[in-house]
Amino acid sequence: MKTMTLALALAATTVGLSAKADQPMNDLEIAHTAYTAGSLDIRYAHLALAVSENDAVREFARTMIRDHTAVNDAAGALIAELNVTPQDNDFSRALVEGAAAKRAELVALTGADFDCAYATNELGYHQIVNKTVAETFIPAVTVAPLKTLLEDALVTFRAHEAHAERMVEGLQCAS
Amino acid sequence: MRKLTLVTRRRFGQGLGASLALASAPGASPAHDGSHVVEVRISRFAFVPKRIEIAAGDTVLWINDDLAPHTATARDGAWQTATLEHGSSARVIFDAPGDMDYVCAFHPHMTGTVSVRSKPAG
């Protein structure tokens, strides 16, 4: 079992999961989880493009696909360069399970209900992922190129968080 | 009317110098006498420097240091670079004086300005 820090616990809670770990994640597990988080957001984005007719939501979704694909491509190149294999782990599996549940919720929605649910989830998802990457993953990683990649990726993810904030505000979901 | 030329290339060899690259890059127009290449880095979702001043006929070279793809796209749609992947660059030659506000087409909160002065006579 792996250590579930506050950030990870929050992440698990956000995606509807329970904490179940007590050991620090190693570099290969962190790499796997970061890659998984990006891939899951790409899947959310494809769902948004299939369902939403809102221009702001569709623009955001296209940006998520474009940017997360670029980050994951860079991660893939680094993995190949280092000749290592990322390790699946409890946290990655929890993210996958949580995202499947969230997609099941989203796919049942349409129109503004979908847009708000997607936008709100994107904001929460990026808030938690960014906190986890900044406070847990980057400090824990021991391989310099992976640390650099995570730091560069975090710049992108924080831009996404700010973009998601603007999207949520623009949709006026609370009113 | 401003003339523009787009060239993208990978990070490798970019230290050779923008003017040399301009002269040798496929599809690039040769710079006229006295023209300059001014570099703008795209870093941490910002154009750096955010505002540049150039003379008519000068070239602006954008280089993307971010993992995410970006563009430099005129707000009025008059010109744009190709998509700049990580480590790629593109250039635009500005022949017409004026302030050219631009954004990243993918991340419109990223803004910049190219201020083009008339080229001194003679």
Side-chain angles (χ1 to χ4, degrees), chain A residues 63 66-67 70 155-156 159 166, chain B residues 44-45 67-69 106-109:
Chain A
T63 298
R66 186 187 305 110
D67 289 0
V155 172
T156 299
R166 294 192 296 273
Chain B
R44 304 181 71 84
F45 282 69
L67 289 178
F106 304 146
H107 312 97
H109 67 285

Side-chain angles (χ1 to χ4, degrees), chain A residues 80-97:
Chain A
E81 179 183 334
L82 297 175
N83 193 26
V84 296
T85 302
Q87 292 176 359
D88 198 1
N89 57 84
D90 288 345
F91 190 45
S92 287
R93 285 187 285 274
L95 284 175
V96 170
E97 291 169 12

Side-chain angles (χ1 to χ4, degrees), chain A:
Chain A
M1 301 294 282
K2 303 298 176 186
T3 295
M4 189 67 73
T5 65
L6 175 60
L8 299 184
L10 284 170
T13 300
T14 295
V15 295
L17 304 165
S18 60
K20 53 181 181 180
D22 59 9
Q23 290 178 9
M25 296 172 72
N26 65 38
D27 287 358
L28 296 176
E29 290 172 324
I30 288 172
H32 190 282
T33 299
Y35 191 97
T36 298
S39 297
L40 292 174
D41 204 41
I42 290 170
R43 290 197 64 181
Y44 283 133
H46 280 295
L47 177 60
L49 289 177
V51 175
S52 180
E53 296 179 356
N54 181 284
D55 288 344
V57 170
R58 294 179 65 81
E59 177 201 343
F60 181 89
R62 283 191 290 267
T63 298
M64 294 306 102
I65 293 170
R66 186 187 305 110
D67 289 0
H68 283 295
T69 298
V71 171
N72 276 4
D73 284 351
L78 177 60
I79 288 165
E81 179 183 334
L82 297 175
N83 193 26
V84 296
T85 302
Q87 292 176 359
D88 198 1
N89 57 84
D90 288 345
F91 190 45
S92 287
R93 285 187 285 274
L95 284 175
V96 170
E97 291 169 12
K102 178 56 70 175
R103 279 197 305 274
E105 288 178 27
L106 291 172
V107 79
L109 302 174
T110 58
D113 290 340
F114 174 88
D115 294 337
C116 285
Y118 170 73
T120 303
N121 185 63
E122 282 300 297
L123 178 55
Y125 190 75
H126 280 91
Q127 286 172 334
I128 295 302
V129 167
N130 292 349
K131 183 177 177 65
T132 304
V133 171
E135 299 180 9
T136 304
F137 287 178
I138 291 174
V141 161
T142 62
V143 176
L146 178 56
K147 188 183 288 285
T148 299
L149 178 66
L150 287 173
E151 289 168 344
D152 290 345
L154 183 59
V155 172
T156 299
F157 300 160
R158 282 177 168 159
H160 293 170
E161 182 180 331
H163 191 167
E165 284 179 355
R166 294 192 296 273
M167 176 171 60
V168 169
E169 289 173 7
L171 291 172
Q172 297 182 306
C173 297
S175 60

